[in-house]
Amino acid sequence: MSSSRPSLPPLSVLDLAFIPEGATPGQALANSVGLARHAEALGYRRFWLAEHHNMTGIASAATAVVIGHVAAGTSCIRVGAGGIMLPNHAPLVIAEQFGTLESLFPGRIDLGLGRAPGTDGLTLRALRRDYGSAERFPQDVLELQALFGPVREGQAVQAVPGAGLRVPLWILGSSLFGAELAGMLGLPYAFASHFAPDALLPALEAYRARFQPSEQLQRPYAMVGINVVAAETDAEARRLFTTPQQQFARLVRGTRGLLPPPIDDIEAYWSPSEKAQASRMLARSLVGSRETVRAGLEALVAETGADEVMVASAVHDYGARLASYAILAEAHGALAGGPAAQALPARSAA
């Protein structure tokens, strides 16, 4: 890319281990490892997996297990949760799981935390979670921080492994609540604008305004999530993008399913109201060729001041998904040896 163009912040990958139509969960998990290796070679900084339950098209429900699988199949890219829905779990269990991961893969594990259930109400009850557990989220984050800290004199309950490992924590969110909490605790913040873009700018403003330096982080560090579908031409990218458009139309309909293949006429698939709702959720999406996604990245960073951009790419065909991330990396300038391939920051930083 032209050297006169502005530099861009690092890129990272958000993967949900999508199960495409015609594939199995085992194949989806193998694809996640392959995608992580691909991203590592291209210079992406992180590879995160998300906790969702009772979703027939997503294979990352046992998130810590999948993180271990991906970390074992890669060598240097940071691997983590984007995120663990903390109210679904006891903080001690998460401290033990991620303390184990950090012990197995030192200096490579991130722990992003959210307070949503990551599922529907019926499944929430199957998880033995009560509806009030989200209200304890700030206290649970503090408890988790303490479990990763040094063992205190007289401490009766310890995370083994976990104590003293200081696994980097992130707060995830799609509203002002998480933004303000991340700022108050001095933690890095990741906004889920890849599916809930409406509050992106107010949340970033709130995070930066409330930020207090901490042992983990001295200045605000904000990551913005977006959807990217890149291809050799804008027309081909738009066709591939009909897969996430169908996905989000299904969300509006309240139905589930495996990741669908692209279609030639998305307008025949959805109603006007479904189109409006799905398009609003997908508003933070870059779809097109190298030049198109490069221009979109520049505009996004200028608008948000993002310190890092995390990319979701729900492309049905695995080869086309790999190609999308490669085209994006080339457009960004983050091919091996580029900005995102430089040495990882210190573990105390974002």
Side-chain angles (χ1 to χ4, degrees), residues 72-99:
T74 53
S75 60
C76 62
I77 193 170
R78 296 192 68 90
V79 186
I84 289 294
M85 301 299 104
L86 189 55
N88 292 346
H89 312 275
L92 175 62
V93 171
I94 298 304
E96 291 170 340
Q97 289 178 355
F98 280 79

Side-chain angles (χ1 to χ4, degrees), residues 14-20 25 28-29 32 49-50 57-61 66 321:
L14 176 64
D15 184 39
L16 276 65
F18 290 118
I19 308 171
L29 293 169
S32 288
L49 293 127
I58 294 174
S60 57
V66 183
R321 194 183 316 165

Side-chain angles (χ1 to χ4, degrees), residues 13-15 30-40 47 318 321-322 325:
V13 175
L14 176 64
D15 184 39
N31 287 347
S32 288
V33 176
L35 177 59
R37 290 173 177 157
H38 183 63
E40 182 174 74
F47 190 95
Y318 177 60
R321 194 183 316 165
L322 296 181
Y325 278 107

Side-chain angles (χ1 to χ4, degrees), residues 143-200:
E143 182 178 343
L144 190 55
Q145 274 189 313
L147 288 166
F148 282 132
V151 176
R152 302 176 301 278
E153 183 178 355
Q155 181 176 335
V157 177
Q158 301 178 26
V160 183
L165 293 183
R166 301 191 186 281
V167 175
L169 301 183
W170 291 66
I171 299 298
L172 314 183
S174 58
S175 68
L176 298 184
F177 179 90
E180 293 179 347
L181 179 63
M184 292 169 60
L185 296 180
L187 295 175
Y189 179 60
F191 190 88
S193 36
H194 60 292
F195 70 86
D198 291 349
L200 171 60

Side-chain angles (χ1 to χ4, degrees), residues 1-348:
M1 306 305 296
S2 170
S3 60
S4 64
R5 285 185 160 182
S7 61
L8 293 170
L11 294 175
S12 292
V13 175
L14 176 64
D15 184 39
L16 276 65
F18 290 118
I19 308 171
E21 290 183 11
T24 66
Q27 290 169 323
L29 293 169
N31 287 347
S32 288
V33 176
L35 177 59
R37 290 173 177 157
H38 183 63
E40 182 174 74
L42 290 169
Y44 285 82
R45 176 167 286 183
R46 305 174 207 276
F47 190 95
W48 281 6
L49 293 127
E51 177 186 348
H52 290 280
H53 300 280
N54 196 28
M55 302 288 188
T56 55
I58 294 174
S60 57
T63 315
V65 178
V66 183
I67 290 170
H69 180 56
V70 170
T74 53
S75 60
C76 62
I77 193 170
R78 296 192 68 90
V79 186
I84 289 294
M85 301 299 104
L86 189 55
N88 292 346
H89 312 275
L92 175 62
V93 171
I94 298 304
E96 291 170 340
Q97 289 178 355
F98 280 79
T100 300
L101 288 167
E102 176 66 20
S103 298
L104 291 169
F105 310 102
R108 294 183 57 207
I109 301 300
D110 295 324
L111 176 50
L113 301 168
R115 67 170 184 146
T119 190
D120 57 87
L122 185 64
T123 308
L124 184 150
R125 290 191 290 275
L127 290 166
R128 300 185 178 181
R129 170 180 166 179
D130 65 84
Y131 283 97
S133 55
E135 302 305 315
R136 299 191 294 271
F137 181 66
Q139 291 74 25
D140 285 349
V141 173
L142 291 172
E143 182 178 343
L144 190 55
Q145 274 189 313
L147 288 166
F148 282 132
V151 176
R152 302 176 301 278
E153 183 178 355
Q155 181 176 335
V157 177
Q158 301 178 26
V160 183
L165 293 183
R166 301 191 186 281
V167 175
L169 301 183
W170 291 66
I171 299 298
L172 314 183
S174 58
S175 68
L176 298 184
F177 179 90
E180 293 179 347
L181 179 63
M184 292 169 60
L185 296 180
L187 295 175
Y189 179 60
F191 190 88
S193 36
H194 60 292
F195 70 86
D198 291 349
L200 171 60
L201 297 179
L204 293 178
E205 182 179 359
Y207 169 61
R208 290 163 178 152
R210 296 295 297 270
F211 185 83
Q212 297 292 323
S214 68
E215 182 179 352
Q216 180 175 335
L217 196 63
Q218 292 300 302
R219 63 171 184 83
Y221 193 96
M223 181 157 60
V224 173
I226 60 171
N227 303 286
V228 176
V229 176
E232 291 297 332
T233 67
D234 287 351
E236 176 58 17
R238 285 193 295 269
R239 184 177 185 277
L240 294 174
F241 189 59
T242 61
T243 289
Q245 287 175 320
Q246 291 174 78
Q247 262 193 320
F248 278 73
R250 286 175 178 175
L251 285 176
V252 173
R253 296 171 184 173
T255 61
R256 295 187 177 91
L258 303 181
L259 191 69
I263 55 179
D264 292 325
D265 185 6
I266 187 64
E267 300 302 331
Y269 179 82
W270 54 19
S271 69
S273 62
E274 290 169 349
K275 176 181 179 178
Q277 294 180 70
S279 297
R280 187 177 68 250
M281 289 187 284
L282 288 167
R284 293 290 181 175
S285 300
L286 304 181
V287 182
S289 64
R290 290 168 180 79
E291 287 300 324
T292 300
V293 298
R294 171 73 195 203
L297 277 175
E298 290 179 358
L300 175 76
V301 173
E303 181 184 15
T304 64
D307 297 293
E308 192 168 336
V309 176
M310 178 154 277
V311 176
S313 184
V315 175
H316 176 269
D317 179 76
Y318 177 60
R321 194 183 316 165
L322 296 181
S324 179
Y325 278 107
I327 291 168
L328 173 61
E330 184 177 345
H332 172 276
L335 287 167
Q342 295 173 0
L344 292 173
R347 290 177 61 192
S348 61

